[in-house]
């Protein structure tokens, strides 16, 4: 996904992968977004990791990851398809259990996020839009 690709997504087929592939997904996305300001890129990578991890852990496995760069507004859209029709939900905070905080991060770092069911394939897509802070918008346009 080159900086001038507009709203054309870059995608990775995740069929047959598991959560051990998260580091390689982050490297792939970081390479595509290398010209973004570091804070924006790191937010995108964190959100991508959380959504993909949820697909592996709660969604019956991930199918596809798509990144779409939108220059106006300065934003990166993340879409992760999985094998479950159950929508993600934010768990109440607190407790000492490992996990359960990922969607709180997603909710904090995104301008919007949600999911849509794909009934014909018996799955869903979880999507998120990570906006660019005003101080980093110039890097989004390069």
């Amino acid at each position: 996904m080159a900086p001038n690709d507009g709203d054309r997504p870059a995608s990775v087929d995740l069929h047959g992968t598991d959560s051990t592939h998260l580091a390689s997904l982050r490297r792939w996305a970081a390479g595509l977004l290398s010209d973004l300001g570091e804070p924006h890129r790191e937010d995108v990578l964190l959100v991508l990791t959380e959504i993909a991890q949820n697909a592996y852990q709660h969604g019956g496995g991930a199918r596809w990851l798509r990144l779409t760069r939108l220059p106006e507004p300065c934003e990166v859209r993340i879409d992760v398809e999985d094998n479950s029709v159950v929508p993600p939900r934010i768990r109440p905070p607190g407790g000492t259990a490992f996990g359960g905080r990922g969607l709180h991060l997603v909710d904090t770092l995104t301008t919007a996020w949600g999911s849509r069911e794909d009934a014909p394939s018996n799955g869903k897509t979880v999507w998120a839009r990570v906006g660019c802070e005003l101080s980093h918008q110039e890097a989004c346009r390069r």
Side-chain angles (χ1 to χ4, degrees):
M1 178 169 55
N4 61 357
D5 277 350
D7 60 0
R8 198 170 73 218
S11 60
V12 175
D13 183 348
L14 300 175
H15 290 86
T17 65
D18 59 30
S19 63
T20 62
H21 289 83
L22 289 172
S24 63
L25 291 176
R26 286 178 60 90
R27 282 191 301 274
W28 171 78
L32 293 174
L33 303 171
S34 63
D35 66 320
L36 286 183
E38 186 175 352
H40 189 198
R41 185 175 55 253
E42 290 301 317
D43 287 352
V44 170
L45 296 176
L46 181 55
V47 170
L48 178 153
T49 302
E50 292 299 333
I51 294 174
Q53 175 61 34
N54 278 351
Y56 289 123
Q57 187 172 2
H58 304 292
R63 295 179 184 172
W64 286 94
L65 165 66
R66 290 182 184 84
L67 288 180
T68 308
R69 183 141 163 203
L70 303 169
E72 296 294 331
C74 176
E75 189 170 77
V76 176
R77 182 181 171 110
I78 304 159
D79 293 271
V80 178
E81 293 179 24
D82 67 29
N83 292 307
S84 172
V85 294
V86 178
R89 65 179 180 85
I90 297 177
R91 291 191 235 164
T96 57
F98 178 73
R101 292 165 184 81
L103 289 178
H104 287 283
L105 289 171
V106 170
D107 195 51
T108 299
L109 296 174
T110 61
T111 56
W113 73 276
S115 68
R116 65 182 176 278
E117 186 178 334
D118 183 11
S121 71
N122 199 32
K124 72 175 173 301
T125 299
V126 177
W127 58 269
R129 296 188 337 236
V130 182
C132 184
E133 295 180 32
L134 291 176
S135 62
H136 303 290
Q137 283 192 5
E138 191 57 39
C140 291
R141 294 187 185 109
R142 286 191 264 169

